[in-house]
């Protein structure tokens, strides 16, 4: 308690005193979560407080302008909001508090703690949209990132600074796979953004990962599904900004965003409120541009030497791998892991679809022997899956295809290789050795 008081007093001592007269406006219209304010011209991104008597206060974010009025979106419910309520700006527009103070803490989209341990006391500011840098500042991916997952290390090897998507429908194991990677990852810091997920899942994740030695290097930004759309979007930006600030200090950061689809849904809500037309299956152009901007902020930094390895879960609505969000993410990411419902229903976890998964940097970071064995494993898996129905019906005649004959013989062991218990971690060297023993020598 004394340490918290000392930090608070130190912050007050260094804070600058603003003696400028405070501007204010008044609420003139409310349509759902969108409100119009007259008499207050503030930049987009400004957070404002809306006074509701002596005890009640709302908060809103500026998202646009129309007919001389400032358009704002509530950061909470509109209950008790009334016409003529006084609106006052606060803080720095478009800036978020960041810093190492967030490590070991769990906060919401506004940076307020949800772990019951008092204020975070972060004093550094960072643009919500990040600092734009030149393309050549993103150095090449040259080092291997050990995910701790046997199938991923062997067949879709990640690199430090790579951006990877985990794509699947609901209930196929995205969150479980994400948990396994967090447990097995080797990074200076881990920043997790749980955006638009169930509150129970947020509670479970905090309980599992904010204890022990890992907690001191882990920051969690959690905005459950029942929060306002702009608060969910701010949560994704806050998690990315915290990771960027740590990268600027030369740290290797693992950034996990669960899920990118919920971020796109939030951006879609805001775009539609502002009157933007839905272009691709109801997604306005700004919604798809939002996820592209978030992804591009991850990667290696030539200037600081730090890196952000980005791991993004992507919910395929209706198991549609051609959903606009899935398609946009797959086009901009450096690799994608596809989880198959059919494979999960066979009891194989993690349910990685080897043929549909890809790491675009794998050939640049692993030895030629590793890449060759991985290609052979893929060829065997593809041969079996293509002819699976024939084999199951007994319609295939042995000897017609030597590759398929070998795939049939090895299939049980290949399924065992791809399966892994949630509490087990397999490093890269072990994964390659086991794969090489299984399919390394051609018959």
């Amino acid at each position: 308690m004394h340490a918290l008081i000392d930090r608070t007093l130190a912050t007050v001592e260094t804070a600058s005193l603003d003696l400028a007269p405070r501007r204010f406006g008044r609420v003139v219209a409310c349509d759902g979560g969108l409100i119009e304010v007259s008499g207050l011209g503030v930049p987009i991104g400004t957070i404002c407080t809306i006074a509701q008597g002596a005890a009640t206060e709302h908060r809103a974010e500026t998202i646009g302008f129309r007919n001389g009025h400032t358009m704002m979106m509530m950061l909470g419910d509109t209950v008790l909001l009334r016409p003529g309520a006084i609106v006052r700006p606060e803080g720095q527009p478009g800036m978020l508090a960041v810093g190492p103070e967030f490590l070991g803490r769990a906060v919401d989209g506004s940076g307020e703690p949800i772990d019951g341990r008092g204020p975070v006391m972060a004093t550094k500011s960072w643009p919500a949209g990040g600092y734009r840098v030149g393309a050549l500042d993103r150095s090449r991916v040259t080092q291997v990132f050990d995910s701790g997952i046997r199938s991923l290390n062997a067949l879709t090897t990640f690199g430090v600074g790579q951006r990877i998507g985990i794509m699947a429908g609901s209930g196929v194991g995205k969150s479980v796979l994400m948990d396994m990677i967090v447990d097995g990852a080797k990074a200076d810091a881990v920043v997790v953004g749980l955006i638009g997920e169930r509150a129970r899942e947020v509670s479970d994740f905090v309980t599992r990962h904010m204890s022990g030695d890992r907690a001191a290097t882990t920051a969690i930004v959690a905005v459950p599904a029942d929060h306002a759309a702009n608060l969910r979007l701010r949560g994704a930006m806050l998690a990315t900004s915290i990771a960027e600030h740590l990268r600027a200090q030369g740290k290797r950061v693992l950034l996990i965003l669960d899920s990118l689809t919920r971020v796109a849904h939030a951006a879609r809500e805001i775009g539609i409120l502002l009157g933007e037309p839905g272009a691709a299956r109801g997604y306005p152009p700004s919604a798809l541009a939002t996820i592209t901007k978030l992804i591009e902020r991850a990667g290696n930094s030539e200037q600081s030497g730090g890196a952000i390895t980005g791991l993004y879960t992507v919910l395929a609505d209706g198991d549609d791998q051609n959903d606009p969000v899935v398609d946009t993410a797959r086009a901009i990411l450096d690799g994608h892991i596809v989880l198959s419902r059919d494979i999960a229903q066979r009891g194989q976890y993690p349910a990685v679809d080897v043929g549909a998964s890809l790491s675009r940097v794998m050939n640049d970071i692993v030895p030629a022997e590793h890449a060759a064995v991985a290609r052979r494993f893929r060829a065997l898996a593809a041969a079996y899956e293509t002819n699976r129905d024939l084999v199951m019906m007994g319609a295939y005649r042995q000897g017609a295809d030597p590759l398929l004959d070998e795939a049939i013989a090895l299939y049980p062991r290949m399924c065992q290789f791809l399966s892994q218990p949630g509490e087990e971690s397999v490093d890269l060297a072990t994964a390659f050795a086991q794969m090489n023993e299984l399919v390394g020598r051609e018959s």
Side-chain angles (χ1 to χ4, degrees), residues 95-131:
M95 302 297 287
L96 299 172
V98 297
E101 293 84 1
F102 281 97
L103 295 177
R105 303 300 304 272
V107 300
D108 63 12
S110 299
E112 299 297 326
I114 60 175
D115 53 10
R117 293 171 48 200
V120 176
M121 306 300 292
T123 57
K124 301 290 185 182
S125 294
W126 197 268
Y131 289 105

Side-chain angles (χ1 to χ4, degrees), residues 71-270:
M71 313 298 294
M72 297 186 182
M73 191 171 183
M74 299 292 292
L75 292 176
D77 293 329
T78 57
V79 178
L80 298 180
L81 183 68
R82 65 172 184 264
I86 295 177
V87 183
R88 291 189 173 92
E90 65 175 26
Q92 296 177 278
M95 302 297 287
L96 299 172
V98 297
E101 293 84 1
F102 281 97
L103 295 177
R105 303 300 304 272
V107 300
D108 63 12
S110 299
E112 299 297 326
I114 60 175
D115 53 10
R117 293 171 48 200
V120 176
M121 306 300 292
T123 57
K124 301 290 185 182
S125 294
W126 197 268
Y131 289 105
R132 180 163 295 183
V133 298
L136 295 182
D137 184 65
R138 291 287 180 262
S139 55
R140 296 178 64 245
V141 176
T142 58
Q143 299 181 37
V144 170
F145 179 87
D146 193 337
S147 66
I149 312 296
R150 176 168 47 228
S151 57
L152 303 186
N153 278 343
L155 299 167
T156 57
T157 311
F158 300 161
V160 175
Q162 185 178 358
R163 291 85 50 88
I164 312 108
I166 299 178
M167 301 172 177
S170 57
V172 185
K174 297 186 303 299
S175 298
V176 175
L177 182 60
M178 181 187 74
D179 272 2
M180 294 172 67
I181 293 176
V182 171
D183 288 337
K186 296 175 177 60
D188 297 329
V190 178
V191 180
V192 182
L194 301 174
I195 311 301
E197 298 301 320
R198 298 176 292 275
R200 178 200 58 79
E201 188 174 347
V202 171
S203 179
D204 289 348
F205 191 92
V206 171
T207 302
R208 288 194 303 272
H209 296 285
M210 297 304 283
S211 59
D213 297 336
R214 171 69 74 182
T217 58
T218 302
I220 297 178
V221 181
V223 190
D226 60 341
H227 285 55
N230 52 341
L231 198 57
R232 280 177 269 149
L233 194 55
R234 287 181 69 86
M237 291 181 175
L238 176 58
T240 306
S241 296
I242 293 171
E244 283 182 316
H245 181 259
L246 294 171
R247 178 182 63 189
Q249 297 176 337
K251 295 184 180 294
R252 292 187 174 184
V253 185
L254 173 61
L255 170 64
I256 297 179
L257 204 59
D258 183 22
S259 77
L260 206 61
T261 305
R262 306 300 187 194
V263 175
H265 288 176
R268 177 174 61 184
E269 289 183 43
I270 296 173

Side-chain angles (χ1 to χ4, degrees), residues 354-442:
V354 174
S357 302
L358 173 70
S359 172
R360 289 189 169 102
V361 304
M362 178 176 176
N363 289 337
D364 298 329
I365 59 177
V366 299
E369 182 186 5
H370 185 153
V373 175
R375 284 194 297 271
R376 177 163 169 73
F377 190 107
R378 285 175 174 274
L380 290 167
Y384 186 89
E385 291 297 334
T386 302
N387 297 278
R388 181 181 180 84
D389 292 340
L390 290 176
V391 174
M392 297 301 291
M393 291 187 301
Y396 172 71
R397 181 172 56 84
Q398 189 174 6
D401 185 345
L403 183 65
L404 181 55
D405 291 340
E406 186 176 1
I408 294 172
L410 292 175
Y411 185 71
R413 294 177 60 195
M414 292 171 67
C415 288
Q416 185 178 5
F417 175 85
L418 294 173
S419 301
Q420 183 174 332
E423 65 278 3
E424 184 182 351
S425 180
V426 180
D427 61 33
L428 188 86
T430 303
F432 169 67
Q434 292 177 352
M435 179 176 64
N436 190 44
E437 181 183 359
L438 179 60
V439 300
R441 290 176 292 275
E442 297 187 22

